[in-house]
């Protein structure tokens, strides 16, 4: 689609602008534009380095969903899905379009969310910054030339960082706003330079639309083994979701969001968005290699101005430094971005209390319980004010992206597990030998060895014990893994202190799950850990 044709198309959508429109530019063209506009710099090896300003992560408290007759009974309203009235959205949209009309240049990308054709959505993304267009083009699924020529957007995202919202007029909280209107099929993003809002906006669309089609949307990574069997990895930030899925011995489907249909697990994206802080060639060679490739975007990574060498250990710009790159930059990536329905479901947690075992086998009911719980733990330094380990429960391992009630996703997952006879595992990548500050981080080699044994089926042949606190099964001994690490109580210097900490965590789980008890069946309720 040419710029003039697309300009006419934008007008037909109600977006009037005299701006010069750059339509569906390729990677090199967008990098050139970003450099000309002073939006970024090239690193020594050709990646585009940018800074996102004061926003280095999502503005969760500034995101709103329009509450109308279509969404009233379908959205799980609350602190995550905050309501905005249709009247406030109308005022916001009018001011957005007025601001859009004043732009000298606009970048438009026509893309797909979802790699399985029958379940994808067509999304047009309009940005004022070239690197934002490059980012979203990198992260979503790129159409073929023929598909671009025939492209008709179902949903549209307008991303204007220079726009400042008015809380009184627009019904928002600050000058930053992310407003989703499912009825008008429009997402407005203003007042933030953080690029991740765009891709998370598309995830929100799919997470809302797919359950009605019987497809399970998931905040997870996914890969395929040499045996042709798929595995999915649920996990919040910092649990190893991206790292563990980018295994050189397995084919990567994707690292962040997927759908589970009758026939496949499919990536929502065409790229990856990995944490860069403390990245090393030794620890994560596949991801590290992408930082030396033209077409990669590095956000808030510190660079020496003279040598243009990168310092991944420097968090002075952001703890949440990121890298965005096409998925085919990973050498073992799937060409189709999809694979067969999962045979293994992995739930990752970074337990900073040193209580959970490095791996445990779950029943379908237990899997739903821990999926709805979405547990991990924050440690000192990850957020301002956090000085001690702090339990975090993010339902479905991605509450911020789930518009519907959590039970919708939990019941879908349980149904998929049962129909596909998938084996489920809880994997702790957190601490052993004591809580954070006393114990040590779970050895990555042990985690990989246990995962490999789970994925190749050999873990099913070992002896298991039932954990007295959580009720799941834990292997007693696994070839190639120090058996001592499999019993977390035995790794503590004071076993009685472990018991106290374990029961404290049990109580946290029970308290958190009370909100879901009325929405699940008795089997899931019985899967809860046991308070002494």
């Amino acid at each position: 689609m040419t710029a003039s044709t697309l300009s006419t198309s934008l007008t037909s959508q109600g977006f009037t602008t005299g701006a010069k429109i750059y339509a569906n530019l390729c990677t090199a063209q967008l990098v050139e534009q970003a450099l000309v506009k002073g939006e970024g710099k090239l690193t020594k090896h050709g990646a585009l380095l940018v800074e996102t300003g004061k926003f280095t992560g999502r503005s969760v408290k500034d995101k709103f969903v329009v509450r109308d007759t279509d969404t009233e009974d379908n959205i799980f309203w609350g602190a995550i899905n905050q309501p905005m009235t249709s009247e406030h959205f109308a005022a916001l949209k009018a001011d957005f379009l007025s601001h859009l009309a004043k732009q000298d240049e606009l970048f438009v990308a026509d893309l797909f969310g979802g790699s399985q054709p029958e379940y994808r959505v067509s999304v047009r993304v309009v940005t004022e910054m070239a690197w934002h267009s490059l980012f979203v083009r990198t992260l979503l699924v790129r159409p073929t030339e023929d598909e671009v020529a025939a492209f008709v957007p179902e949903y549209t995202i307008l991303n204007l960082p220079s726009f400042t919202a008015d809380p009184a007029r627009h019904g928002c909280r600050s000058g930053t706003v992310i407003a989703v209107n499912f009825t008008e099929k429009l997402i407005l993003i203003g007042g933030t330079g953080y690029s991740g809002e765009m891709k998370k906006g598309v995830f929100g669309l799919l997470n809302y639309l797919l359950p009605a089609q019987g497809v399970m949307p998931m905040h997870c990574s996914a890969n395929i083994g040499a045996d042709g069997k798929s595995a999915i990895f649920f996990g919040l930030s910092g649990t190893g979701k991206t790292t563990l899925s980018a295994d050189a011995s397995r084919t990567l489907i994707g690292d962040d969001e997927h759908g589970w249909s009758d026939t496949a697990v499919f990536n929502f994206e065409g790229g990856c968005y990995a944490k860069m802080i403390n990245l090393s060639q030794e620890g994560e060679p596949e991801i590290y290699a992408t930082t030396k490739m033209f077409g990669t975007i590095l956000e808030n990574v510190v660079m020496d101005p003279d040598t243009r060498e990168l310092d991944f250990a420097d968090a002075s710009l952001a703890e949440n430094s990121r890298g965005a790159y096409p998925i085919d930059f990973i050498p073992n990536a799937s060409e189709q971005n999809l694979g067969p329905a999962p045979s293994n479901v992995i739930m990752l947690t970074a337990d900073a209390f040193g209580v959970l075992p490095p791996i445990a086998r779950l029943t379908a009911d237990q899997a739903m319980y821990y999926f709805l719980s979405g547990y991990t733990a924050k440690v000192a330094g990850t957020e301002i004010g956090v000085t001690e380990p702090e339990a975090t429960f993010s339902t479905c391992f991605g509450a911020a992206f789930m518009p519907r009630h959590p039970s919708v996703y939990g019941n879908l997952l349980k149904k998929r597990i049962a129909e596909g006879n998938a084996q489920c595992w809880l994997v702790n990548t957190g601490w052993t030998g004591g809580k954070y500050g006393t114990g040590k981080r779970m050895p990555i080699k042990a985690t990989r060895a246990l995962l490999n044994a789970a994925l190749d089926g050999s873990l099913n042949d070992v002896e298991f014990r039932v954990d007295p606190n959580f009720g799941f099964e834990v292997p007693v001994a696994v070839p190639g893994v120090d058996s001592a690490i499999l019993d977390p109580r035995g790794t503590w210097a004071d076993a009685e202190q472990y018991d106290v900490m374990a029961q404290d965590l049990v109580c946290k789980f029970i308290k958190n799950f009370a909100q879901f008890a009325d929405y699940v069946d008795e089997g899931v309720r019985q899967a809860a850990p046991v308070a002494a």
Side-chain angles (χ1 to χ4, degrees):
M1 185 176 292
T2 64
S4 59
T5 303
L6 200 143
S7 179
T8 302
S9 180
L10 288 177
T11 301
S12 70
Q13 290 182 260
F15 308 148
T16 302
T17 178
K20 181 177 181 179
I21 294 176
Y22 295 92
N24 295 307
L25 298 188
C26 69
T27 296
Q29 291 171 320
L30 287 168
V31 170
E32 288 174 346
Q33 287 295 322
L35 295 174
V36 168
K37 291 164 65 66
E39 295 174 0
K41 300 176 181 179
L42 287 182
T43 68
K44 180 179 180 179
H45 297 285
L48 179 66
L49 181 68
V50 299
E51 294 183 17
T52 62
K54 68 177 183 178
F55 292 99
T56 59
R58 291 178 299 103
S59 301
V60 178
K61 295 181 179 179
D62 294 308
K63 180 183 175 183
F64 300 85
V65 178
V66 175
R67 191 170 194 159
D68 55 23
T69 54
D70 290 342
T71 58
E72 175 67 41
D73 298 326
N74 293 315
I75 298 293
F76 182 48
W77 303 107
I80 298 297
N81 297 304
Q82 301 178 100
M84 174 179 281
T85 67
S86 296
E87 292 75 18
H88 278 135
F89 183 83
L92 178 66
K93 179 182 175 181
D95 292 347
F96 241 82
L97 295 185
S98 176
H99 192 76
L100 184 78
K102 298 173 185 176
Q103 302 303 306
D104 295 326
E105 297 178 328
L106 290 172
F107 298 85
V108 180
D110 291 330
L111 302 158
F112 295 126
S115 298
Q116 189 168 359
E118 55 266 49
Y119 297 118
R120 70 189 183 191
V121 293
S122 303
V123 183
R124 172 164 290 162
V125 186
V126 182
T127 68
E128 62 178 298
M129 299 181 74
W131 86 262
H132 275 175
S133 193
L134 175 61
F135 173 89
V136 78
R137 183 182 183 277
T138 300
L139 267 295
L140 295 185
V141 178
R142 295 165 290 281
T144 64
E145 288 186 13
D146 289 343
E147 288 171 334
V148 169
F151 195 90
V152 177
E154 298 172 68
Y155 292 84
T156 301
I157 297 175
L158 301 183
N159 183 14
L160 305 177
S162 63
F163 178 86
T164 302
D166 179 349
R169 175 170 165 77
H170 302 137
C172 52
R173 186 186 70 101
S174 70
T176 298
V177 65
I178 301 96
V180 182
N181 191 319
F182 286 107
T183 303
E184 293 192 24
K185 299 184 176 182
L186 179 63
I187 298 176
L188 304 177
I189 303 171
T192 172
Y194 181 64
S195 57
E197 299 288 6
M198 292 180 289
K199 78 170 203 138
K200 294 302 184 184
V202 175
F203 292 169
L205 292 178
L206 289 163
N207 291 343
Y208 181 73
L209 297 170
L210 292 181
Q213 302 175 64
V215 176
M216 174 64 186
M218 305 171 294
H219 181 219
C220 70
S221 56
N223 61 26
I224 311 170
D227 57 3
K229 295 181 178 179
S230 297
I232 56 177
F233 300 75
F234 290 104
L236 298 171
S237 180
T239 59
K241 180 166 57 72
T242 298
T243 300
L244 292 171
S245 61
D247 185 325
S249 67
R250 297 176 65 84
T251 300
L252 179 67
I253 299 173
D255 80 328
D256 202 13
E257 288 261 346
H258 294 80
W260 185 346
S261 69
D262 289 338
T263 58
V265 55
F266 62 95
N267 195 351
F268 286 179
E269 302 180 282
C272 300
Y273 195 36
K275 276 183 171 291
M276 293 288 112
I277 194 68
N278 294 322
L279 180 69
S280 70
Q281 185 171 12
E282 296 74 27
E284 299 171 87
E286 293 84 10
I287 297 173
Y288 184 85
T290 69
T291 67
K292 298 179 181 292
M293 298 181 184
F294 178 80
T296 290
I297 309 161
L298 299 174
E299 297 178 356
N300 304 313
V301 176
V302 174
M303 180 176 72
D304 185 293
D306 297 322
T307 66
R308 296 188 178 248
E309 291 281 3
L310 300 171
D311 185 353
F312 296 109
D314 190 334
S316 58
L317 291 178
E319 182 74 27
N320 188 38
S321 56
R322 293 272 182 164
Y325 47 89
I327 194 169
D328 58 17
F329 278 16
I330 300 295
N332 55 321
S334 164
E335 291 184 7
Q336 294 79 29
N337 285 356
L338 54 78
S343 299
N344 283 278
V345 175
I346 314 295
M347 297 185 188
L348 301 169
T349 182
D351 175 31
F353 298 101
V355 167
L356 296 178
I359 195 166
R361 186 166 61 187
L362 306 177
T363 66
D365 285 328
Q366 288 171 334
M368 183 173 175
Y369 184 93
Y370 288 98
F371 175 72
L372 289 176
S373 297
Y375 166 70
T376 193
K378 300 174 185 176
V379 296
T382 57
E383 287 190 15
I384 296 173
V386 177
T387 57
E388 288 290 324
E390 183 178 302
T392 297
F393 294 95
S394 181
T395 183
C396 308
F397 292 97
F401 326 123
M402 302 296 177
R404 296 182 183 270
H405 192 280
S407 62
V408 172
Y409 306 106
N411 285 318
L412 257 176
L413 179 66
K414 185 179 177 182
K415 178 175 180 286
R416 286 292 177 197
I417 289 171
E419 291 176 348
N421 195 30
Q423 182 63 67
C424 303
W425 308 90
L426 182 69
V427 173
N428 175 24
T429 61
W431 274 255
T432 181
K435 69 176 185 178
Y436 172 83
T438 302
K440 60 182 181 180
R441 194 73 190 254
M442 198 73 68
I444 185 67
K445 288 185 177 179
T447 299
R448 287 195 182 278
L450 290 168
L451 268 177
N452 289 338
L455 296 177
D456 67 19
S458 60
L459 198 56
N460 289 316
D461 299 327
V462 306
E463 179 187 354
F464 283 79
R465 64 176 177 85
V466 175
D467 185 277
N469 295 297
F470 293 89
F472 43 51
E473 294 183 316
V474 181
V476 174
V478 178
V481 177
D482 181 3
S483 296
I485 206 172
L486 298 173
D487 179 9
R489 187 175 189 269
T491 65
W492 281 52
D494 187 331
E496 290 185 357
Q497 284 188 359
Y498 169 86
D499 293 336
V500 172
M501 187 64 72
Q503 276 300 302
D504 182 63
L505 184 58
V506 164
C507 291
K508 285 181 169 66
F509 266 96
I510 292 172
K511 181 180 179 181
N512 172 73
F513 201 81
Q515 62 185 307
F516 307 123
D518 293 339
Y519 297 94
V520 299
D521 59 33
E522 184 60 22
V524 177
R525 287 192 286 270
Q526 290 299 317
V530 181

